Amino acid sequence: MLFQKNARFSLQRLVLLMGLAFLTGLWRCSSSSEKKETEETKANSPAQKAEPASSQKKTILFFGNSLTAGYGVEPTQAFAGLIGRRIDSLKLNYTVVNAGLSGETTAGGKSRITWVLRQPVDIFVLELGANDGLRGIPLKATEENLQAIIDTVRKKSPQARIVLAGMQIPPNMGPEYTSKFRQIFPELARKNDAVLIPFLLKDVGGISRLNQSDGIHPTPEGHQIVAETVWEILEPLLTTSGTT
């Protein structure tokens, strides 16, 4: 009798242990499957997928005064806006940022450039100096301020291509000042290996029908011509920026 009771007890214990083993194995398989599924879900989740570098748009920053800002016209009519629209229509991998500020001098630009360059840029178009010339600011100060802006861009975005917009002013300040002012831009471009737009207002400056009543700021038609002048210099850089 005692043997029979022990046998029944052992059999029940064996069944119980087999049941526990089966449940343990089932739990492990389920846990492993859930873990694998969770890892695959995370891997395929849009939040986990890094956007391919090639699809990330590069930045073209226009940094200037009222000419860049588009004084007296709609932002979309200013030359920077027109450049942006052309880039979008051509489906180029760039976005245009207009950091123009009416009334800006080179000193003002120098003081705000660090704030503007909070994000890296790939092409930096520098259009400043006209207000300096119209106010008769010492040429050395203008040149030093422009150089300081370029130095900051080089520090913040070492791979950026810099485009310097050349400017000319009326002879109100005298022929010597006017001539030396004009030379600031090609000299700085040469010194800094920057790309030069010889004269931003080519075929626009001094032509009354292409300027507003102040004789300084282009009309929408004038901005279209300026945009073509800029595009002629800018277009070749769009395939080489960041590769040199």
Side-chain angles (χ1 to χ4, degrees):
M1 180 69 68
L2 180 62
F3 172 78
Q4 291 178 346
K5 287 179 65 179
N6 289 339
R8 281 199 302 272
F9 175 79
S10 298
L11 182 61
Q12 290 174 351
R13 184 177 182 184
L14 179 61
V15 171
L16 178 61
L17 290 174
M18 290 176 64
L20 288 174
F22 174 78
L23 291 175
T24 301
L26 183 63
W27 179 84
R28 286 178 178 174
C29 290
S30 176
S31 176
S32 176
S33 176
E34 289 177 358
K35 181 178 180 182
K36 182 177 180 182
E37 182 179 355
T38 300
E39 290 175 350
E40 290 178 351
T41 301
K42 287 183 177 180
N44 294 322
S45 172
Q48 296 294 327
K49 286 186 176 180
E51 186 178 5
S54 59
S55 68
Q56 295 176 353
K57 285 192 173 184
K58 298 179 180 180
T59 300
I60 304 174
L61 178 65
F62 286 86
F63 187 72
N65 52 41
S66 56
L67 296 175
T68 294
Y71 175 86
V73 302
E74 294 296 323
T76 55
Q77 296 175 319
F79 75 85
L82 295 173
I83 294 290
R85 285 170 56 188
R86 177 172 294 190
I87 286 174
D88 290 343
S89 68
L90 294 174
K91 301 187 185 304
L92 298 176
N93 196 38
Y94 287 87
T95 184
V96 170
V97 176
N98 188 336
L101 180 63
S102 293
E104 187 77 296
T105 61
T106 59
K110 175 184 174 182
S111 68
R112 73 182 177 106
I113 184 61
T114 300
W115 180 84
V116 170
L117 291 178
R118 289 174 296 175
Q119 299 294 331
V121 299
D122 299 280
I123 298 178
F124 182 85
V125 183
L126 177 55
E127 180 274 304
L128 282 176
N131 286 325
D132 291 43
L134 293 175
R135 300 179 187 185
I137 291 175
L139 297 171
K140 184 177 181 181
T142 297
E143 182 177 359
E144 289 178 348
N145 290 334
L146 289 172
Q147 183 62 59
I149 293 171
I150 293 172
D151 290 343
T152 301
V153 176
R154 294 289 193 212
K155 180 179 179 181
K156 295 285 186 178
S157 297
Q159 300 303 316
R161 296 301 305 272
I162 296 178
V163 179
L164 184 59
M167 186 55 60
Q168 300 176 21
I169 58 172
N172 302 32
M173 299 296 171
E176 183 179 1
Y177 183 95
T178 302
S179 176
K180 289 184 177 180
F181 176 86
R182 183 172 61 249
Q183 290 303 313
I184 288 176
F185 303 94
E187 289 176 2
L188 280 174
R190 185 165 49 251
K191 177 181 176 181
N192 293 279
D193 192 27
V195 180
L196 178 69
I197 302 172
F199 181 35
L200 181 69
L201 298 179
K202 175 187 174 184
D203 299 327
V204 175
I207 302 176
S208 58
R209 65 181 179 82
L210 296 176
N211 289 276
Q212 300 174 44
S213 58
D214 58 15
I216 297 175
H217 298 95
T219 61
E221 183 182 357
H223 272 285
Q224 291 178 5
I225 297 174
V226 175
E228 291 298 328
T229 298
V230 174
W231 183 253
E232 183 179 351
I233 302 298
L234 188 62
E235 183 182 18
L237 302 180
L238 300 183
T239 56
T240 60
S241 177
T243 64
T244 58

